């Protein structure tokens, strides 16, 4: 059975696809065909050549200078960068990416790509004839591979148009940003499609019998034009993590945990967590806990899925690195450390906002969680219990998060 890897366009987000490749190697998943659009065609050429370490080195060390001829993009201010992009598009008909051509030429080994037992195809768009162009490596003239790769990745109007034999070409995303059907046409019977979820046309698979496994980013990968090594290295980690999670080798959603660690965490804390909620909320409305946990069964038990959402929500609130692979114990320790290092919360301000039902202006979730956590620590009478029940219904995620931190820290 022939397996194809299909890679979408996505500019600087293409580092994610290298992370997917890393995971495929780890899982020993072989492939017979690679198709790609835009940056997907560039990464696809590397996958066809089987030059993995060259691809990793390229993305881990990428910079604006490897893409753009002019140094106009190297600026920390987003507004400044936007103005520079706009000027290049409007005044200069796109940015000069001749440096990208030099970079591709260094990375590309056309002879090796053509001799590879892996077939390769790409998508571009002929602006002269206004026709989409889908080519396999056999159909691309010898010596023109680099030109067509650049044509596929010419993100017009941000980039200048690519000229080949007196015709102008632009990014393949204008016709097919995820070339699944090209892979099927080339003989694919099974497909792993890496969709970076960027702007561009995507076409449904014409042959419904072909199994397609989609790998898509669960976390933000940043701007399409953020060509810097810090973002790229993060993208590689996220691509690897998501692929391993889809393959059931790691756990988590937006955060990544070692296999079975979330289950172990749930088993360790679920009973004491429920007991604490019962203790604090009992007697303050029979449906408070049911509403809080969205329970519909008579057992009133919190689900593992709901419990894990609380864990990952806290990771987001306390801004833990979402590209790491966590041991659940170290994850919990980091959360507690972040909580302990917080400055004192202005309780009067938080209470004022809560009483005024001014939830949208509640400073930020971290301070609210700290406020509720402190209330749980001080819980010793019916008045505080009533206050906590009210807060639980008004701010359920924050209350559940604070309760989780309380249980983990005190058990």
């Amino acid at each position: 059975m022939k397996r194809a890897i299909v890679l979408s366009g996505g500019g600087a987000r293409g580092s994610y696809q290298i992370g997917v490749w890393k995971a495929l190697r780890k899982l020993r998943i072989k492939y017979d065909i690679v198709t790609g659009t835009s940056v997907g065609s560039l990464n696809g050429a590397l996958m066809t050549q089987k030059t993995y370490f060259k691809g990793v080195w390229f993305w881990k060390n990428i910079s604006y200078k490897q893409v753009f001829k002019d140094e106009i993009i190297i600026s920390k201010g987003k507004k400044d960068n936007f103005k520079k992009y706009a000027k290049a598009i409007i005044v200069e008909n796109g940015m000069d990416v001749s440096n990208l051509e030099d970079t591709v030429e260094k990375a590309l080994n056309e002879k090796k790509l053509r001799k590879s037992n892996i077939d390769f195809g790409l998508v571009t768009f002929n602006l002269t004839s206004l026709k989409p162009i889908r080519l396999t490596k056999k159909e691309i003239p010898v010596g023109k591979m680099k030109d067509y790769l650049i044509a596929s990745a010419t993100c017009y109007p941000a980039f200048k148009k690519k000229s080949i034999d007196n015709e102008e070409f632009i990014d393949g995303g204008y016709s097919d940003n995820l070339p699944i059907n090209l892979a099927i046409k080339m003989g694919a019977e099974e497909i792993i499609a890496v969709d970076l979820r960027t702007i561009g046309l995507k076409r449904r698979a014409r042959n419904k019998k072909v199994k397609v496994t989609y790998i898509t980013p669960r976390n933000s990968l940043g701007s399409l034009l953020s060509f810097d090594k810090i973002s790229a290295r993060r993208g590689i980690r996220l691509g690897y993590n998501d692929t391993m999670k889809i393959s059931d080798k790691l756990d988590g959603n937006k955060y990544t945990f070692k296999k079975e660690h979330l289950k172990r965490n749930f088993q360790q804390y679920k009973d004491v967590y429920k007991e604490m909620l019962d203790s604090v909320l009992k007697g303050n409305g029979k449906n408070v806990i049911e509403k809080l946990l969205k329970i519909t069964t008579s057992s009133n038990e919190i689900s593992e899925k709901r419990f894990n959402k609380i864990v990952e929500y806290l990771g987001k609130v306390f801004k833990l690195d979402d590209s790491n692979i966590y041991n659940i114990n170290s994850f919990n320790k980091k959360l507690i450390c972040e909580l302990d290092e917080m400055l004192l919360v202005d309780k009067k301000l938080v209470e004022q906002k809560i009483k005024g039902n001014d939830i949208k202006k509640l400073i930020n979730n971290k301070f609210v969680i700290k406020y509720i956590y402190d209330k749980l620590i001080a819980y010793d009478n019916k008045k505080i219990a009533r206050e906590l029940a009210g807060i639980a219904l008004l701010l359920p995620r924050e209350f559940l998060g604070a309760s989780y931190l309380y249980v983990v820290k005190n058990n």
Side-chain angles (χ1 to χ4, degrees), residues 72-343:
I72 62 169
I73 306 303
I74 305 171
S75 171
K76 293 183 179 179
K78 291 183 180 180
K79 290 184 178 179
D80 291 339
N81 283 338
F82 177 79
K83 290 178 182 178
K84 292 167 185 176
Y85 282 129
K87 179 184 176 182
I89 293 169
I90 297 170
V91 178
E92 301 167 15
N93 295 316
M95 292 175 286
D96 187 333
V97 291
S98 55
N99 282 15
L100 176 61
E101 297 206 23
D102 294 338
T103 300
V104 171
E105 188 166 8
K106 292 175 183 177
L108 176 67
N109 186 329
E110 183 171 345
K111 186 176 181 180
K112 191 172 185 178
L113 185 150
R114 291 186 181 279
K115 284 188 174 182
S116 172
N117 62 340
I118 298 169
D119 204 358
F120 174 68
L122 59 77
V123 180
T124 183
F125 188 85
N126 189 319
L127 199 58
T128 303
S129 64
L130 296 179
K131 291 181 179 180
I133 305 296
R134 299 174 179 87
L135 298 171
T136 66
K137 67 181 182 180
K138 292 179 181 179
E139 296 168 329
I140 297 173
V142 175
K144 295 285 186 180
M145 185 64 70
K146 184 196 78 172
D147 291 332
Y148 279 97
L149 286 171
I150 295 296
S152 178
T154 297
C155 187
Y156 181 80
F159 297 175
K160 291 184 184 296
K161 293 170 281 188
K162 174 64 179 173
S163 179
I164 303 175
D165 298 330
N166 298 318
E167 292 187 312
E168 293 184 325
F169 294 81
I170 57 175
D171 198 289
Y174 282 94
S175 60
D176 190 353
N177 202 40
L178 189 64
I180 288 173
N181 289 313
L182 175 57
I184 294 173
K185 185 179 178 181
M186 293 168 67
E189 299 166 281
E190 179 184 349
I191 291 173
I192 297 173
V194 187
D195 184 2
L196 297 176
R197 289 185 172 174
T198 53
I199 298 171
L201 293 173
K202 294 168 192 171
R203 304 182 186 278
R204 294 179 180 178
R206 292 172 184 169
N207 188 342
K208 302 299 181 183
K209 293 181 180 179
V210 175
K211 179 185 176 183
V212 182
T213 300
Y214 289 92
I215 300 174
T216 57
R218 304 185 186 196
N219 305 67
S220 172
L221 296 177
S223 168
L224 277 70
L225 297 173
S226 294
F227 293 98
D228 68 273
K229 63 183 181 181
I230 293 175
S231 298
R233 292 180 183 198
R234 175 175 177 271
I236 292 172
R237 294 194 297 271
L238 290 173
Y240 176 84
N241 293 350
D242 288 349
T243 306
M244 296 301 280
K245 282 184 279 192
I246 285 174
S247 302
D248 203 30
K249 300 298 181 182
L250 293 172
D251 289 333
N253 183 27
K254 290 183 178 295
Y255 283 85
T256 306
F257 301 88
K258 292 182 179 180
K259 188 66 181 171
E260 300 296 325
H261 277 222
L262 285 176
K263 182 179 290 293
R264 188 178 74 193
N265 189 59
F266 174 67
Q267 293 297 332
Q268 181 177 352
Y269 292 116
K270 66 171 183 175
D271 291 336
V272 65
Y273 186 78
K274 182 62 167 50
E275 286 173 9
M276 192 219 71
L277 293 180
D278 285 335
S279 174
V280 173
L281 300 176
K282 192 174 181 180
N284 291 285
K286 64 178 182 179
N287 293 324
V288 173
I289 296 178
E290 286 86 344
K291 289 179 181 179
L292 192 63
L293 301 178
K294 298 180 181 178
I295 293 170
T296 57
T297 62
S298 58
S299 63
N300 285 346
E301 293 295 330
I302 184 171
S303 70
E304 185 175 347
K305 183 178 179 180
R306 178 68 168 159
F307 193 81
N308 291 341
K309 279 187 177 181
I310 297 167
V311 175
E312 293 206 24
Y313 168 69
L314 287 168
K316 180 181 178 181
V317 169
F318 287 96
K319 297 181 179 179
L320 301 192
D321 189 340
D322 59 3
S323 68
N324 284 344
I325 299 173
Y326 286 98
N327 173 309
I328 188 60
N329 291 332
S330 66
F331 188 86
N332 285 337
K333 285 178 182 178
K334 285 180 182 291
L335 290 177
I336 298 302
C337 183
E338 290 289 333
L339 180 74
D340 289 343
E341 289 179 358
M342 285 185 65
L343 299 174

